[in-house]
Amino acid sequence: MRASDLLLPMPQGLYCPPGDFYIDPVVPVASALVTHAHSDHARSGHGAVLATTETLDVMALRYGGNFTGRRQIANLGKEIFINGVRVTFVPAGHVLGSAQIVVEKDGMRIVASGDYKRRRDATCLPFEPVKCDVFITEATFGLPVFRHPDDGQEIGRLLHSVAQFPERTHLVGAYALGKAQRVISLLRQAGYDKTIYIHGALEKISSYYQQQGIDLGVLAPATLEKGNRNDFAGEIIICTPSAFSDRWARRFADPVTCFASGWMQIRQRIKQRGVELPLILSDHSDWDELTETIIETGASEVWVTHGREEALVRWCELRQIAARPLHLVGYEDEAE
């Protein structure tokens, strides 16, 4: 069987003709397999959704219980047959519940990685490389210039700033699913044991993480009902990036605006966001991790999607690995 007979890019997303299902479709379809619960990969309105328990739960939190006609749980490492196609979900290390989707038929194995990272993360299971014929990789940070620094170093910079400016509130922008909880977890690992305050938009998902046994320590809502703005001096507040432009953010004591993102390596993005303390923390693999992962899979062919596709395709070609960009649309690189 040729790879293109098993999976092919369509306007709706990656389609499996023999299985008659899509992977991470960007529009409602009859049958969707979903790698993780970020909104550019997990959309509502599908007839049926197959995903990990955590992904299904977070989709329900975000979209309501009727986000799909039918839910089916994919247990990690357990094979499922769909119209004769063997499907297995394997940890991707991106966020809680994230998975690669392994699709096999007639001796052809394709791994659709979704989004993935290789760094240790206490809030989700680590990425597991799978030997395959074709590896479908993201390329969010698919340029050699992108090499993420040590996570502990970045959290250390935040804690140093908190100690240096005890009269100011530190507002840390982090995406609601995955990044916010990872920042909190990294703070706890660094020994920060004070209450961490969170924006209301983070409460449901952070509570769900805690229900799954992930230790985030003591969290409290970042409201001013407890007193005046100076009550938050010296505190750390985690919020959504969009909250920086809200009146909400101006309520706090001379806030230090921080943003946790892999894009904080780019000065223009720092300036555009008005960020005072950029924190280079990403839930995606950097250039070295992308290329090392491709080698680990042993794939003879690589398909590259949503990101800096051309550079990674060229890297593969120089190493006699067949490669092609998929040019899929509808996947964002901002919410990382």
Side-chain angles (χ1 to χ4, degrees), residues 16 25 37 55 72 81 98 104 110 114 148 163 177 196 221 269 281:
C16 177
T55 293
Q72 183 180 354
F81 284 87
S98 63
E104 301 177 74
I110 303 177
H148 305 324
L177 171 58
I196 295 175
R269 297 226 183 185
L281 292 168

Side-chain angles (χ1 to χ4, degrees), residues 140-153:
T140 303
F141 293 103
L143 288 174
V145 68
F146 290 117
R147 288 180 165 90
H148 305 324
D150 178 73
D151 298 338
Q153 171 187 313

Side-chain angles (χ1 to χ4, degrees), residues 165-213:
F165 302 108
E167 74 284 2
R168 302 179 69 184
T169 303
H170 281 69
L171 298 182
V172 182
Y175 292 104
L177 171 58
K179 183 64 66 63
Q181 296 77 28
R182 185 170 170 227
V183 168
I184 294 168
S185 176
L186 286 168
L187 282 166
R188 299 309 188 196
Q189 292 171 51
Y192 187 82
D193 58 3
K194 294 178 61 178
T195 298
I196 295 175
Y197 296 91
I198 59 174
H199 186 278
L202 307 181
E203 289 181 19
K204 280 187 181 179
I205 293 176
S206 296
S207 176
Y208 177 75
Y209 267 64
Q210 290 176 309
Q211 291 166 22
Q212 303 312 302

Side-chain angles (χ1 to χ4, degrees), residues 25-312:
V26 297
V27 296
V29 298
S31 179
L33 278 58
V34 176
T35 60
H36 65 284
H38 279 148
S39 58
D40 56 334
H41 291 255
R43 311 198 184 221
S44 62
H46 303 307
V49 171
L50 173 65
T52 64
T53 297
E54 296 88 351
T55 293
L56 292 171
D57 287 347
V58 174
M59 289 179 74
L61 285 175
R62 289 188 144 182
Y63 299 128
N66 297 321
F67 68 88
T68 181
R70 181 169 60 89
R71 308 183 204 182
Q72 183 180 354
I73 295 172
N75 294 310
L76 293 171
K78 184 176 181 181
E79 296 177 349
I80 300 170
F81 284 87
I82 305 174
N83 299 328
V85 177
R86 181 187 289 113
V87 173
T88 312
F89 282 60
V90 179
H94 181 52
V95 297
L96 182 64
S98 63
Q100 306 168 79
I101 299 177
V102 184
V103 181
E104 301 177 74
K105 185 174 173 63
D106 297 341
M108 172 60 65
R109 175 185 286 175
I110 303 177
V111 174
S113 65
D115 290 336
Y116 65 96
K117 74 171 179 291
R118 302 303 303 270
R119 301 288 174 99
R120 180 184 175 277
D121 181 352
T123 68
C124 66
L125 293 174
F127 178 94
E128 293 182 12
V130 178
K131 295 290 184 182
C132 57
D133 300 294
V134 178
F135 183 58
I136 304 175
T137 181
E138 60 142 315
T140 303
F141 293 103
L143 288 174
V145 68
F146 290 117
R147 288 180 165 90
H148 305 324
D150 178 73
D151 298 338
Q153 171 187 313
E154 296 302 289
I155 289 298
R157 293 175 58 242
L158 171 59
L159 292 175
H160 176 75
S161 182
V162 171
Q164 188 176 14
F165 302 108
E167 74 284 2
R168 302 179 69 184
T169 303
H170 281 69
L171 298 182
V172 182
Y175 292 104
L177 171 58
K179 183 64 66 63
Q181 296 77 28
R182 185 170 170 227
V183 168
I184 294 168
S185 176
L186 286 168
L187 282 166
R188 299 309 188 196
Q189 292 171 51
Y192 187 82
D193 58 3
K194 294 178 61 178
T195 298
I196 295 175
Y197 296 91
I198 59 174
H199 186 278
L202 307 181
E203 289 181 19
K204 280 187 181 179
I205 293 176
S206 296
S207 176
Y208 177 75
Y209 267 64
Q210 290 176 309
Q211 291 166 22
Q212 303 312 302
I214 295 168
D215 183 13
L216 300 179
V218 178
L219 305 179
T223 64
L224 290 177
E225 295 172 358
K226 60 177 277 190
N228 64 50
R229 57 191 289 162
N230 290 323
D231 287 340
F232 286 94
E235 306 290 358
I236 296 174
I237 298 175
I238 314 294
C239 62
T240 57
S242 60
F244 286 155
S245 58
D246 292 346
R247 291 175 56 192
W248 174 89
R250 295 189 288 273
R251 299 173 181 176
F252 302 103
D254 190 17
V256 177
T257 56
C258 317
F259 190 17
S261 168
W263 295 114
M264 291 297 97
Q265 297 175 69
I266 306 299
R267 290 181 182 178
Q268 185 179 4
R269 297 226 183 185
I270 296 170
K271 186 176 179 180
Q272 286 173 344
R273 292 274 186 176
V275 174
E276 185 173 347
L277 180 61
L279 302 171
I280 305 171
L281 292 168
S282 178
D283 284 335
H284 295 262
S285 294
D286 66 12
W287 174 260
D288 290 335
E289 292 159 346
L290 289 169
T291 56
E292 288 165 8
T293 300
I294 289 171
I295 292 170
E296 273 190 272
T297 66
S300 58
E301 187 172 350
V302 174
W303 299 351
V304 186
T305 183
H306 53 283
R308 280 72 196 154
E309 300 174 341
E310 292 76 12
L312 207 51

Side-chain angles (χ1 to χ4, degrees), residues 5-21:
D5 293 330
L6 185 55
L7 274 182
L8 72 160
M10 300 280 283
Q12 300 94 326
L14 281 170
Y15 178 60
C16 177
D20 193 24
F21 59 77

